[in-house]
Amino acid sequence: MSDPALLDALVEVESAWLTVLVDAGVAPAEAAEDLSGLVTSTDVPGLAREAEAGGNPVIGLVRLLRERVGTRSAAAGDWLHRGLTSQDAMDTALVLCLRDVADRVLEETRRQVSALSHLSDRHRGTVQVGRTLTQHAVPTTFGLTAAVWLGGVLDAAEDLALARARLTAQVGGAAGTLAALTELARVSGAADPARAARSMAAALADRLGLEPASPWHTARRPVTRTGDALVACLDAFGVIASDVALRGRPEIGELSEPAAEGRGGSSTMPQKRNPVLSVLVRSAAIAAPSLGATLHTAAATTVDERPDGAWQAEWPALHALGRSCATAASLTTELVEGLEVHEDRMRETASAAADGLLAERRSVRSLVDAPEPAGAPADDLTEYLGATDLLIDAARSRADDYLETIS
Amino acid sequence: MSDPALLDALVEVESAWLTVLVDAGVAPAEAAEDLSGLVTSTDVPGLAREAEAGGNPVIGLVRLLRERVGTRSAAAGDWLHRGLTSQDAMDTALVLCLRDVADRVLEETRRQVSALSHLSDRHRGTVQVGRTLTQHAVPTTFGLTAAVWLGGVLDAAEDLALARARLTAQVGGAAGTLAALTELARVSGAADPARAARSMAAALADRLGLEPASPWHTARRPVTRTGDALVACLDAFGVIASDVALRGRPEIGELSEPAAEGRGGSSTMPQKRNPVLSVLVRSAAIAAPSLGATLHTAAATTVDERPDGAWQAEWPALHALGRSCATAASLTTELVEGLEVHEDRMRETASAAADGLLAERRSVRSLVDAPEPAGAPADDLTEYLGATDLLIDAARSRADDYLETIS
Amino acid sequence: MSDPALLDALVEVESAWLTVLVDAGVAPAEAAEDLSGLVTSTDVPGLAREAEAGGNPVIGLVRLLRERVGTRSAAAGDWLHRGLTSQDAMDTALVLCLRDVADRVLEETRRQVSALSHLSDRHRGTVQVGRTLTQHAVPTTFGLTAAVWLGGVLDAAEDLALARARLTAQVGGAAGTLAALTELARVSGAADPARAARSMAAALADRLGLEPASPWHTARRPVTRTGDALVACLDAFGVIASDVALRGRPEIGELSEPAAEGRGGSSTMPQKRNPVLSVLVRSAAIAAPSLGATLHTAAATTVDERPDGAWQAEWPALHALGRSCATAASLTTELVEGLEVHEDRMRETASAAADGLLAERRSVRSLVDAPEPAGAPADDLTEYLGATDLLIDAARSRADDYLETIS
Amino acid sequence: MSDPALLDALVEVESAWLTVLVDAGVAPAEAAEDLSGLVTSTDVPGLAREAEAGGNPVIGLVRLLRERVGTRSAAAGDWLHRGLTSQDAMDTALVLCLRDVADRVLEETRRQVSALSHLSDRHRGTVQVGRTLTQHAVPTTFGLTAAVWLGGVLDAAEDLALARARLTAQVGGAAGTLAALTELARVSGAADPARAARSMAAALADRLGLEPASPWHTARRPVTRTGDALVACLDAFGVIASDVALRGRPEIGELSEPAAEGRGGSSTMPQKRNPVLSVLVRSAAIAAPSLGATLHTAAATTVDERPDGAWQAEWPALHALGRSCATAASLTTELVEGLEVHEDRMRETASAAADGLLAERRSVRSLVDAPEPAGAPADDLTEYLGATDLLIDAARSRADDYLETIS
């Protein structure tokens, strides 16, 4: 999700639209020009300036494309963008960018799900201290920790997949009535011009691999739903990163980030290895909720048939959220795939704290006057791991279902 | 969603849990006491003080319930809350409150969907100016306006219904391992204590009409998903309220709020009728995104097996968001059910602006050298309404499907 | 900052206003009734319902006050609220509540400044590990930690004091023109009615101990400035609480919260003492930024002479922020005044890490080919504490200046 | 505030620091190389990649600068960045960028203050409808509208100037103790090495025109204070833009944006002129509060001597907020300097509504049984303008003071 990517997406939309107009018999065959390559990233600064003057980047882009394609095909120049409004092109292009972000994030979560499922299985016997409100509580296993992370990633990934599947093209024309398009269908002889207009809208969606929809210029749930899901992904990544950063503290020492060339060096302290992946993921997770809030504020303050500032407020927030989520997803994959688990340290800390960790057990047994069980040593933490194994199984089974569904 | 409602929900959870313990053969039959009525709203201030000391309201409540039920049944006093941690009771109670909020909001949206579907049909011929970026653009109908509002409400209601259906009970014990519960099952002779523990967790969910789930102490998507959906509802309400407030300005005069006794009077100006419903709904919609963001920030900064501040930050935000959404939903229903539509004013404004509103049409026709159509007057706005009728049909059909699904 | 407190503030404003009207010769002497006690907290629910109907709580309150004072003095009933608009009363009452919150928070910060200044002095020789990005970096002292906390509290307290000093009364009348008040002055024979109206506005401010100001119905910086300062206070409290929670982890064990009856018990684990103060302060700090954002969103979307939802969105956010900041301030005072510092643990951890903590020093010395200093042992951390003492002195000196200024 | 600007600022800081080291006698004279021009915007992508690996952009930049300056002066290569930590360079560079943004915004607000003061004077007799909660209330003047806008801009500009004046350089070294710097001073023979280290920190601030300060790695009020002030500026701009957009609606028609080549054209409707300035300013104002909230969340979740994600979360928010505020400031200047005021339309609307607009006046007069004044016509709105003139005078006088202070 970058300025050049948005530009490419806008050009893809306008190209697809030319084809739709031609296929529908509205525009002449020679208008079906492929626009790709007509604008490049060197056009970005100029278009950005023009966007400020015009209020959105589409006006300048359409002018530029008309000039450039017009030398190849006058018809393409004439028909370009006809029937659309700026917001149609921009919303559909943003949706394409969002879909791309969602696909990249989902691919990363797929890898995370595999890695975490594996981790949770491998460490189902790795006893560690369970910590609540910062203090030692009862024993648990690192396998369950990984299973809980896994559940968080699955929750978010499922919602993102759902939001992605509901991304729709935007075709509404000036005020969401499809009037210009209906008029074009009428003058081209369509039997039912309004229906033909809706068909063209659906054809654009189909051509771009999106769902068709009634115009949603002022009903922004497709945007906020995807934004919410991206924030939820960052929440899940943030939990993992926060736990890794915390448990990687020297005093705890239970986890380390994967070592990698160039990662985590200090500008002054030669001995230091900083948990850079966790830090960067955490910083993205801290910033994300506000970006999601901006999308909702924009959605809530929308008025008229197309609004006067609310829509425009979406762009930078979506841009920042999309980039940030894609990057954090990739860093999180690197983190969980290469995570170093210091089992011995986990066990040592837990053993040293065994008395406190089993206090709840003693309290429970005294409630029912149960005698201390014979055989097992009184400080055997593995006797008080509850249903950790079943919970790991449940998370892994859910992961298997998920991986099967998406494959 | 209020302090007394939360208290009731907590008592409901603890009551249900006693029954679960008895049914599972873990606690003796005489422990199955109904706790309802043991604490009342007069206990709220004391519990609030204790909550500040203890960090959450459950500790004080359990103490109080033990004291009071203990005089009726010592077993109930002994067994109350056993196997649960504070967060189990609190999360499950919050989920019950959220479900109640969701149900109330969904009932309001059901009424809104009916009213808006009716409005959109009744006004499919009511021509009005379509406005974009505050300016007159092309003609549309008030029927389509209502249909677009309808689509926004449906988008949000569907997501809320989805989130509501996925609300789960929380049973994890101290660190999400179900250890105490497993131990209780073991000493009571369960063949597979861990499985028995999970069954008890599922039994609580079943008894409360919730979905069973693995512990989600640190995986907060059930909370953020519901929060996001409530914010999305407020976005949809906000759009309607903003449009009504705007179009109810004297200079526009196309819509009025329903007149009602005591609504909208001014403290100083006798002639004035303020659009109070819109104003209150708008104020709720403006404040909601930040509350949703807080839920995400809390979710993202969660650590350990149960966190050190992030969880606690959810409560006031959820409380405020739930109350606000339920109130705004009800005000929005009142608004759309009683909305006064000034058709004549709409038509007059549109007619006066006909020349500009049809400029796009002339531009479209000149593109294809189409002659002005014979017969219809040049300024007949009904000739340039595009697919408004079909779009209304589509929205109404979606509304019918929705109403049928939920009935 | 609570519903009853706001009610009291509203009554205080209306009482003061009656006196202003009488003093100015606009209302007859018998209108100067003291309204205190005429409404009580039992009126809150009824007024809340009426507020929903009328859009704000002032309309119902004025009606109630008129009824009740009217039996004592018909003139008071007649003159009550004359010349004011609802927003005048509400804004001024909110300002009084905000001032009260600010005073309470400033009193707490005063105590924190004293405690932290003392702590930083006492521990200027307490060597501890300096941690950056979670890893051990170079040595520091706990005295400097306290000094940095102190600096953060001073930054916030100074800004809050500044914002508090700039809180102004609101007197504008229906549309911020002082028209009704000017008219009242005119008919009562004032030589320069407009000037008399402004004088009455200033007299209200004076009577309430506030600054006079031109009407600020739509220029909300007094609200956002105070809100920003309260959030900044919570930021500073949050840093302290986060550090205490972190360093109070068993594996680090450098700090403990003050032990207090009823604080920090677990509902299931008898051995556990939770850092409840830190947890509650952190939860308030996590939620605050969003509340501050709501105040800004409201400020930014204000229109007309008095807005249509933006103003109303301020109330719950201000209410939540004020309460939360006052509570967190008091908890933070308790935390820093009773903080347990485990010096030995700090020194032990630092000593054990000495080699790494001095790596930077070796790197610096090798840069200039400086030989290892003779005399001091190679692992003497006190030789590499840089300017910690001077920095503590600077912070304490700033604290002294602050305490002197406010006393 | 852009990536190249940040890069330039970082180089400026490192250059200044070399000079400080040389001036203090710590580094040899030949280390005082000017680094400007050694890195260019073509280095940005590579540094961005390296920043992701290292966690911040300084590490890569220092490496690059060492390589490149080293060919000119080995001493400069050796001494570059010595005594600083990455956060020192980055924070100080961000402060320089923030100062630049503040200066640009303050220059724009200066022009706005002039323009608005002039507008308010010119239109002190231009009667218009005063609108509250969207409805006609009492008469006012456009001069007062402009005066209220002016007050809002002054409130924000004063706070921004204050925040700008308190921007400080950051010099703390690895953990905020100035240890490396003190060590360098010691080996270079300083009599009081710690004091020499603090002097060097102060010298950097002096050289960059900033205030000296104790290290503020974890006390982020300089950042949040400036962020809050930038958001407050955007609030003030948002109010103006919202009012202009609203009053520029065809049905109201009281204001128009300045016409300018290329501004506000529609991609489909030839007749339409969109209020692009207002729309863009509004969109910036809608998005700003969340960015400010992110700065506070980062400030509140800071831990240790330098934090693990919170600091890093500041950058994109600051970047977006800085750019957005500078752009919106300039657009707002263009808007207010060229604003078209349609006085006749204002007067016509007010006259037509005179009866309602004077209802409050009749109510006031009937309270005191004052007869209708003789001479003036009953519907003369200029008789009910209250203190508008005095309020305009007050705002203009404040503007004069401000302009004098800053000149």
Side-chain angles (χ1 to χ4, degrees):
Chain A
M1 193 130 193
S2 62
D3 287 342
L6 177 60
L7 194 61
D8 285 351
L10 282 165
V11 171
E12 185 183 352
V13 171
E14 297 288 358
S15 279
W17 185 242
L18 271 181
T19 313
V20 167
L21 290 174
V22 170
D23 287 354
V26 162
E30 59 270 30
E33 280 285 331
D34 180 359
L35 306 170
S36 58
L38 284 182
V39 293
T40 66
S41 61
T42 60
D43 293 311
V44 167
L47 288 170
R49 271 192 304 277
E50 221 170 323
E52 193 182 294
N56 73 58
V58 176
I59 297 171
L61 174 65
V62 165
R63 193 191 46 70
L64 211 62
L65 287 173
R66 283 205 171 120
E67 278 172 25
R68 296 184 185 173
V69 79
T71 61
R72 291 210 305 241
S73 157
D78 281 351
W79 283 94
L80 189 82
H81 190 70
R82 293 293 169 188
L84 299 184
T85 192
S86 300
Q87 190 172 351
D88 292 336
M90 187 71 175
D91 275 349
T92 307
L94 282 170
V95 158
L96 292 178
C97 290
L98 273 179
R99 184 179 63 181
D100 181 53
V101 164
D103 285 341
R104 288 167 60 195
V105 173
L106 287 170
E107 169 57 18
E108 297 295 335
T109 56
R110 191 194 59 72
R111 289 176 58 182
Q112 295 163 20
V113 166
S114 291
L116 290 170
S117 177
H118 190 65
L119 262 185
S120 69
D121 192 38
R122 177 143 46 105
H123 291 286
R124 58 170 73 230
T126 306
V127 174
Q128 64 158 66
V129 164
R131 298 174 178 93
T132 64
L133 290 86
T134 73
Q135 302 298 302
H136 292 174
V138 294
T140 185
T141 63
F142 180 66
L144 183 58
T145 295
V148 171
W149 291 347
L150 173 57
V153 170
L154 283 168
D155 284 347
E158 286 170 1
D159 283 356
L160 181 59
L162 212 63
R164 183 219 179 281
R166 296 173 72 184
L167 286 173
T168 55
Q170 176 76 279
V171 180
T177 64
L178 296 168
L181 200 48
T182 302
E183 191 74 10
L184 287 170
R186 177 178 295 135
V187 296
S188 73
D192 185 338
R195 206 163 294 274
R198 289 210 80 195
S199 296
M200 281 188 271
L204 180 70
D206 185 55
R207 191 162 279 277
L208 297 171
L210 298 168
E211 292 297 302
S214 292
W216 46 281
H217 290 151
T218 60
R220 309 301 291 171
R221 189 62 183 142
V223 167
T224 60
R225 185 189 292 121
T226 314
D228 290 341
L230 292 173
V231 177
C233 287
L234 280 159
D235 295 342
F237 304 153
V239 168
I240 297 173
S242 296
D243 273 338
V244 172
L246 184 55
R247 299 179 194 193
R249 286 179 174 268
E251 293 86 353
I252 299 181
E254 295 181 348
L255 298 173
S256 298
E257 294 205 348
E261 187 59 39
R263 282 245 186 267
S266 155
S267 74
T268 56
M269 291 164 287
Q271 89 289 2
K272 209 161 164 257
R273 200 173 91 198
N274 290 321
V276 172
L277 299 173
S278 304
V279 163
L280 291 173
V281 171
R282 271 175 53 77
S283 75
I286 288 170
S290 286
L291 298 171
T294 297
L295 298 178
H296 281 289
T297 303
T301 55
T302 287
V303 289
D304 289 336
E305 273 64 43
R306 287 195 289 119
D308 57 342
W311 173 55
Q312 294 79 1
E314 286 179 358
W315 309 334
L318 266 183
H319 189 268
L321 184 54
R323 280 183 81 93
S324 167
C325 190
T327 302
S330 146
L331 297 173
T332 303
T333 304
E334 185 179 344
L335 183 59
V336 297
E337 286 185 345
L339 190 66
E340 296 178 17
V341 182
H342 307 300
E343 308 179 31
D344 293 347
R345 185 76 178 265
M346 289 181 180
R347 288 203 182 90
E348 283 159 25
T349 302
S351 292
D355 189 61
L357 294 175
L358 293 174
E360 186 192 63
R361 188 185 191 214
R362 290 190 300 273
S363 157
V364 164
R365 298 188 72 88
S366 77
L367 174 72
V368 292
D369 289 324
E372 280 299 306
D379 62 350
D380 184 354
L381 295 173
T382 65
E383 289 290 308
Y384 200 59
L385 290 173
T388 46
D389 260 339
L390 292 180
L391 295 170
I392 291 168
D393 291 343
R396 299 192 71 223
S397 160
R398 191 178 159 205
D400 288 346
D401 290 350
Y402 175 78
L403 293 173
E404 197 161 314
T405 310
I406 63 174
S407 67
Chain B
M1 193 130 193
S2 62
D3 287 342
L6 177 60
L7 195 61
D8 286 350
L10 281 166
V11 172
E12 185 183 353
V13 171
E14 297 287 358
S15 279
W17 185 243
L18 271 180
T19 313
V20 166
L21 289 174
V22 170
D23 287 355
V26 162
E30 59 270 30
E33 279 287 330
D34 181 359
L35 307 171
S36 57
L38 284 182
V39 293
T40 66
S41 60
T42 60
D43 294 310
V44 167
L47 288 170
R49 270 193 303 278
E50 220 170 323
E52 194 183 293
N56 73 58
V58 176
I59 297 171
L61 174 65
V62 165
R63 192 191 47 69
L64 211 64
L65 287 173
R66 283 206 171 118
E67 279 172 24
R68 296 184 184 171
V69 79
T71 62
R72 293 210 306 241
S73 157
D78 283 349
W79 282 94
L80 190 82
H81 190 69
R82 293 293 169 187
L84 298 184
T85 192
S86 300
Q87 190 172 351
D88 292 336
M90 187 72 175
D91 275 349
T92 307
L94 282 170
V95 158
L96 291 178
C97 290
L98 273 180
R99 183 179 64 181
D100 181 54
V101 165
D103 285 341
R104 290 168 59 196
V105 172
L106 287 169
E107 169 56 18
E108 297 296 335
T109 56
R110 191 194 58 71
R111 289 175 58 183
Q112 295 163 21
V113 165
S114 291
L116 290 172
S117 177
H118 190 65
L119 262 185
S120 68
D121 191 38
R122 176 144 46 105
H123 290 287
R124 58 170 74 230
T126 307
V127 174
Q128 65 157 66
V129 163
R131 298 173 179 93
T132 64
L133 289 87
T134 72
Q135 301 300 301
H136 293 174
V138 295
T140 185
T141 64
F142 180 65
L144 182 58
T145 294
V148 171
W149 292 346
L150 173 58
V153 170
L154 284 168
D155 284 346
E158 286 170 1
D159 283 355
L160 182 58
L162 212 64
R164 183 219 179 282
R166 296 174 72 183
L167 286 173
T168 54
Q170 176 75 280
V171 180
T177 64
L178 296 167
L181 201 48
T182 302
E183 191 73 10
L184 288 170
R186 177 177 297 136
V187 296
S188 74
D192 185 337
R195 206 163 294 274
R198 291 211 79 198
S199 295
M200 282 187 271
L204 180 71
D206 186 54
R207 191 161 279 277
L208 298 170
L210 296 169
E211 291 297 302
S214 291
W216 47 281
H217 291 151
T218 60
R220 309 302 290 171
R221 190 62 183 143
V223 167
T224 59
R225 185 189 292 120
T226 314
D228 291 341
L230 292 172
V231 177
C233 287
L234 280 159
D235 295 342
F237 305 154
V239 168
I240 297 173
S242 296
D243 272 338
V244 172
L246 185 54
R247 298 177 194 194
R249 287 179 174 267
E251 292 87 351
I252 300 181
E254 297 181 347
L255 298 172
S256 297
E257 294 205 349
E261 187 60 37
R263 282 243 187 270
S266 155
S267 73
T268 56
M269 291 164 286
Q271 89 289 0
K272 212 165 162 250
R273 200 173 91 198
N274 289 321
V276 172
L277 299 172
S278 305
V279 163
L280 291 173
V281 171
R282 271 176 52 79
S283 75
I286 287 170
S290 285
L291 298 170
T294 295
L295 298 178
H296 280 288
T297 303
T301 55
T302 287
V303 289
D304 288 337
E305 273 64 44
R306 288 195 289 118
D308 57 343
W311 174 55
Q312 294 78 1
E314 285 178 0
W315 309 334
L318 265 183
H319 189 268
L321 184 55
R323 280 183 82 93
S324 166
C325 189
T327 302
S330 146
L331 297 172
T332 303
T333 304
E334 185 178 345
L335 183 60
V336 298
E337 286 185 345
L339 189 66
E340 296 177 17
V341 181
H342 308 298
E343 307 178 31
D344 293 347
R345 185 76 178 267
M346 288 180 180
R347 289 203 182 90
E348 283 159 26
T349 301
S351 291
D355 189 61
L357 294 175
L358 293 173
E360 187 193 61
R361 188 186 192 213
R362 291 191 298 272
S363 158
V364 164
R365 299 188 71 87
S366 76
L367 173 72
V368 292
D369 288 325
E372 281 298 306
D379 62 351
D380 183 353
L381 295 173
T382 64
E383 289 289 309
Y384 199 60
L385 290 174
T388 47
D389 261 338
L390 292 180
L391 295 170
I392 291 168
D393 292 342
R396 299 192 72 222
S397 161
R398 191 178 158 204
D400 289 346
D401 291 350
Y402 175 78
L403 294 172
E404 197 162 314
T405 309
I406 63 174
S407 69
Chain C
M1 194 132 194
S2 61
D3 286 340
L6 177 60
L7 195 62
D8 285 351
L10 282 165
V11 172
E12 185 183 354
V13 172
E14 297 287 358
S15 279
W17 185 241
L18 272 180
T19 313
V20 167
L21 290 173
V22 170
D23 287 355
V26 162
E30 58 271 30
E33 280 285 331
D34 180 359
L35 307 170
S36 57
L38 284 181
V39 293
T40 66
S41 60
T42 60
D43 294 310
V44 167
L47 288 171
R49 270 191 306 277
E50 219 170 324
E52 193 182 294
N56 74 58
V58 176
I59 297 172
L61 174 65
V62 165
R63 191 191 47 69
L64 211 63
L65 287 172
R66 283 207 171 116
E67 279 172 24
R68 296 184 183 171
V69 80
T71 63
R72 293 209 304 242
S73 156
D78 283 349
W79 282 94
L80 190 81
H81 190 68
R82 294 293 169 188
L84 298 184
T85 193
S86 300
Q87 189 171 352
D88 292 336
M90 186 73 173
D91 275 349
T92 307
L94 282 170
V95 157
L96 291 178
C97 291
L98 273 180
R99 183 179 63 182
D100 181 54
V101 164
D103 285 341
R104 289 167 59 195
V105 172
L106 286 169
E107 170 56 18
E108 298 295 336
T109 56
R110 191 195 59 71
R111 289 174 58 182
Q112 294 162 23
V113 165
S114 291
L116 290 171
S117 177
H118 190 64
L119 263 184
S120 69
D121 192 37
R122 176 144 45 106
H123 290 286
R124 58 170 74 230
T126 307
V127 174
Q128 64 157 66
V129 163
R131 299 174 178 92
T132 63
L133 290 89
T134 72
Q135 301 299 302
H136 293 175
V138 295
T140 185
T141 64
F142 180 66
L144 182 58
T145 295
V148 172
W149 292 347
L150 173 57
V153 170
L154 284 168
D155 284 346
E158 287 170 0
D159 283 354
L160 181 58
L162 211 64
R164 183 223 180 280
R166 298 173 71 183
L167 286 173
T168 54
Q170 176 76 279
V171 181
T177 64
L178 296 167
L181 201 47
T182 302
E183 191 72 9
L184 288 169
R186 177 178 296 135
V187 295
S188 74
D192 184 337
R195 207 163 293 275
R198 292 211 78 198
S199 295
M200 282 187 271
L204 180 71
D206 186 53
R207 190 162 279 278
L208 297 170
L210 297 169
E211 292 297 303
S214 291
W216 46 281
H217 290 152
T218 60
R220 309 302 290 171
R221 190 61 184 143
V223 168
T224 60
R225 185 189 293 121
T226 314
D228 290 341
L230 292 172
V231 177
C233 287
L234 279 159
D235 295 342
F237 304 154
V239 168
I240 297 173
S242 296
D243 273 338
V244 172
L246 184 56
R247 298 178 194 193
R249 287 179 173 267
E251 292 87 351
I252 300 180
E254 296 181 348
L255 298 172
S256 297
E257 294 204 350
E261 187 59 37
R263 284 246 186 265
S266 156
S267 73
T268 56
M269 291 164 286
Q271 89 288 2
K272 209 160 164 256
R273 200 173 91 198
N274 290 321
V276 172
L277 299 172
S278 305
V279 163
L280 291 173
V281 171
R282 271 175 52 79
S283 76
I286 288 170
S290 284
L291 297 170
T294 296
L295 299 177
H296 281 289
T297 304
T301 55
T302 287
V303 290
D304 288 337
E305 273 63 45
R306 287 195 290 120
D308 57 342
W311 174 55
Q312 294 79 1
E314 285 178 1
W315 309 334
L318 265 183
H319 189 269
L321 185 55
R323 281 182 80 95
S324 166
C325 190
T327 302
S330 147
L331 297 172
T332 302
T333 303
E334 186 179 344
L335 183 60
V336 297
E337 286 184 344
L339 189 66
E340 296 177 17
V341 182
H342 307 300
E343 307 178 31
D344 293 348
R345 185 77 178 266
M346 288 180 180
R347 288 204 183 90
E348 283 159 26
T349 301
S351 291
D355 189 60
L357 294 175
L358 293 174
E360 186 191 64
R361 188 186 192 213
R362 290 191 299 273
S363 158
V364 164
R365 298 188 72 88
S366 77
L367 174 72
V368 292
D369 288 323
E372 281 298 306
D379 62 351
D380 184 354
L381 295 172
T382 63
E383 289 290 308
Y384 199 59
L385 290 174
T388 47
D389 260 338
L390 292 180
L391 295 170
I392 291 168
D393 292 342
R396 299 192 72 221
S397 160
R398 192 178 158 203
D400 289 346
D401 290 350
Y402 176 77
L403 294 172
E404 196 161 315
T405 308
I406 63 175
S407 69
Chain D
M1 194 130 193
S2 61
D3 287 340
L6 177 60
L7 194 62
D8 285 350
L10 281 166
V11 172
E12 185 182 352
V13 172
E14 297 287 358
S15 280
W17 185 242
L18 272 181
T19 313
V20 167
L21 289 174
V22 170
D23 287 355
V26 163
E30 59 270 31
E33 280 284 331
D34 180 358
L35 306 171
S36 58
L38 284 182
V39 292
T40 65
S41 60
T42 60
D43 294 309
V44 168
L47 289 170
R49 271 192 304 278
E50 221 170 323
E52 193 183 293
N56 73 58
V58 176
I59 297 172
L61 175 66
V62 166
R63 192 189 49 67
L64 211 62
L65 286 173
R66 282 205 172 119
E67 278 172 24
R68 295 183 185 173
V69 79
T71 63
R72 292 209 306 241
S73 156
D78 283 348
W79 282 94
L80 190 81
H81 191 70
R82 293 294 168 186
L84 299 184
T85 192
S86 300
Q87 190 172 350
D88 292 336
M90 187 72 174
D91 275 350
T92 308
L94 282 170
V95 158
L96 292 179
C97 291
L98 273 180
R99 184 179 62 182
D100 181 53
V101 164
D103 285 340
R104 289 167 59 194
V105 172
L106 286 169
E107 169 56 18
E108 297 296 336
T109 55
R110 191 195 57 72
R111 289 175 57 183
Q112 295 162 22
V113 166
S114 291
L116 291 170
S117 177
H118 189 65
L119 263 185
S120 69
D121 192 37
R122 176 145 44 107
H123 290 285
R124 59 170 73 232
T126 306
V127 175
Q128 64 157 67
V129 164
R131 299 174 178 94
T132 64
L133 290 88
T134 72
Q135 301 300 300
H136 292 175
V138 295
T140 185
T141 64
F142 179 66
L144 182 57
T145 294
V148 172
W149 292 346
L150 173 57
V153 170
L154 283 168
D155 284 346
E158 286 170 0
D159 283 355
L160 181 59
L162 212 63
R164 183 220 179 281
R166 297 173 71 183
L167 285 173
T168 54
Q170 176 75 280
V171 181
T177 64
L178 295 167
L181 201 47
T182 301
E183 191 73 10
L184 287 171
R186 177 178 295 136
V187 295
S188 74
D192 185 338
R195 207 162 293 275
R198 290 211 80 198
S199 296
M200 281 188 272
L204 180 70
D206 186 54
R207 191 161 279 277
L208 298 170
L210 297 168
E211 291 298 302
S214 292
W216 46 282
H217 291 150
T218 60
R220 309 301 290 171
R221 189 60 183 145
V223 167
T224 59
R225 185 188 292 120
T226 314
D228 290 341
L230 292 173
V231 177
C233 287
L234 280 159
D235 295 343
F237 304 154
V239 168
I240 297 173
S242 296
D243 273 338
V244 172
L246 184 55
R247 298 179 194 193
R249 287 178 174 268
E251 292 87 351
I252 299 180
E254 296 181 349
L255 298 172
S256 299
E257 294 204 350
E261 186 60 37
R263 284 246 187 266
S266 155
S267 73
T268 56
M269 291 164 287
Q271 90 288 1
K272 212 164 162 251
R273 201 174 90 198
N274 290 320
V276 172
L277 299 172
S278 306
V279 163
L280 292 173
V281 170
R282 271 175 53 78
S283 74
I286 288 169
S290 285
L291 298 171
T294 296
L295 298 178
H296 280 288
T297 303
T301 55
T302 286
V303 290
D304 288 336
E305 273 63 44
R306 288 194 289 119
D308 58 342
W311 174 56
Q312 294 79 1
E314 285 179 0
W315 309 335
L318 265 183
H319 189 268
L321 184 55
R323 279 182 82 92
S324 166
C325 190
T327 301
S330 147
L331 296 172
T332 303
T333 304
E334 185 179 345
L335 183 60
V336 297
E337 286 184 346
L339 190 67
E340 296 177 18
V341 181
H342 306 300
E343 308 179 30
D344 293 348
R345 185 77 178 267
M346 289 181 179
R347 288 204 182 87
E348 284 159 23
T349 302
S351 292
D355 189 61
L357 294 176
L358 293 174
E360 186 193 63
R361 188 186 192 214
R362 290 191 299 274
S363 158
V364 164
R365 298 188 73 88
S366 77
L367 174 72
V368 293
D369 289 325
E372 280 299 306
D379 61 352
D380 184 354
L381 295 173
T382 64
E383 288 291 308
Y384 199 59
L385 289 174
T388 47
D389 260 338
L390 292 180
L391 294 170
I392 291 167
D393 292 342
R396 298 191 72 222
S397 160
R398 190 178 158 203
D400 289 345
D401 291 349
Y402 175 77
L403 293 173
E404 196 161 314
T405 309
I406 63 174
S407 67

